[in-house]
Amino acid sequence: TQLLEQSPQFLSIQEGENLTVYCNSSSVFSSLQWYRQEPGEGPVLLVTVVTGGEVKKLKRLTFQFGDARKDSSLHITAAQPGDTGLYLCAGDGSSNTGKLIFGQGTTLQVKP
Amino acid sequence: SQTIHQWPATLVQPVGSPLSLECTVEGTSNPNLYWYRQAAGRGLQLLFYSVGIGQISSEVPQNLSASRPQDRQFILSSKKLLLSDSGFYLCAWTVLANYGYTFGSGTRLTVV
């Protein structure tokens, strides 16, 4: 069974600080995605990484896919209160069903 | 453009009552469709997925069922709700897993 473990589960920081969220597995994924979810809403896709070692940047967010395609990280520079939310990583197990395996999420609170 | 509609947004149902949650997708054909359940502030548990009309796969044994009567319609049902069925239910679609999911806005179900 493929599993994705996210750490930390909870993170409370001050505005302007940097942070990194990790998503780890013992399994290889053909792609890995990051989503952000606000309370009472569905998750929204931030990025998809597909190549081992790939780095993508989205404004102050930097996403990296591990060389072996078993792990990923999300780094936020100079966090802002608007970054507050639940961050979810999800891996594509490469079946033709399109099923994604989700991590348990990281709840981020950025205090002004 | 593609959109996904999910309703109702909130639902309070007594134990033993039936359930029907509906999800429809617009602007695409033959999408893969998914029903997930989410515990508060946590990751997503895949309940059902469908790769075509009438094709339903169940991921976990439970008190729920799903149907896909039309290409872009996905329904989650129960004949008799249990307290443990309470949660946040999310519908999602994709054409390929590494394209990412588009989620509906979710249904908050409370069984009382």
Side-chain angles (χ1 to χ4, degrees):
Chain A
T1 302
Q2 294 176 304
L3 293 173
L4 279 169
E5 296 184 1
Q6 277 187 248
S7 61
Q9 292 186 17
F10 302 97
L11 199 52
S12 181
I13 61 173
Q14 293 296 130
E15 181 176 2
E17 293 183 7
N18 302 332
L19 66 116
T20 302
V21 177
Y22 299 93
C23 179
N24 295 304
S25 177
S26 58
S27 303
V28 175
F29 292 95
S30 60
S31 70
L32 205 141
Q33 300 161 19
W34 286 90
Y35 294 79
R36 178 171 169 269
Q37 184 180 20
E38 299 197 14
E41 299 181 8
V44 175
L45 179 67
L46 296 174
V47 76
T48 300
V49 286
V50 297
T51 305
E54 182 177 3
V55 177
K56 282 191 174 180
K57 292 190 176 182
L58 186 65
K59 296 183 180 178
R60 293 175 293 99
L61 279 61
T62 301
F63 304 86
Q64 186 164 7
F65 201 12
D67 291 341
R69 290 186 291 129
K70 293 182 178 180
D71 53 82
S72 180
S73 63
L74 159 60
H75 182 78
I76 301 179
T77 304
Q80 299 177 1
D83 295 326
T84 294
L86 178 67
Y87 289 82
L88 295 158
C89 66
D92 169 18
S94 196
S95 69
N96 61 3
T97 63
K99 291 191 298 181
L100 289 179
I101 297 160
F102 281 83
Q104 288 302 98
T106 295
T107 298
L108 172 63
Q109 182 186 40
V110 182
K111 300 176 183 177
Chain B
S1 63
Q2 300 103 348
T3 57
I4 179 169
H5 302 281
Q6 187 181 340
W7 67 92
T10 60
L11 195 57
V12 180
Q13 294 284 98
V15 169
S17 64
L19 172 74
S20 180
L21 303 180
E22 189 164 341
C23 172
T24 60
V25 178
E26 296 179 357
T28 188
S29 297
N30 197 31
N32 290 349
L33 297 170
Y34 309 87
W35 279 110
Y36 281 87
R37 180 168 57 200
Q38 185 178 31
R42 306 303 290 154
L44 280 63
Q45 178 189 35
L46 180 62
L47 302 176
F48 300 94
Y49 67 93
S50 172
V51 298
I53 297 175
Q55 301 179 56
I56 307 294
S57 296
S58 174
E59 284 294 294
V60 293
Q62 58 212 330
N63 186 40
L64 302 168
S65 61
S67 61
R68 186 171 177 173
Q70 300 180 40
D71 180 42
R72 290 171 286 183
Q73 184 184 29
F74 205 22
I75 297 172
L76 183 69
S77 303
S78 174
K79 292 182 179 179
K80 291 184 178 181
L81 284 168
L82 305 172
L83 288 173
S84 57
D85 292 323
S86 294
F88 191 52
Y89 289 83
L90 288 157
C91 179
W93 76 271
T94 191
V95 289
L96 284 174
N98 62 2
Y99 285 11
Y101 282 7
T102 300
F103 282 90
S105 53
T107 295
R108 172 73 59 194
L109 172 65
T110 304
V111 183
V112 296

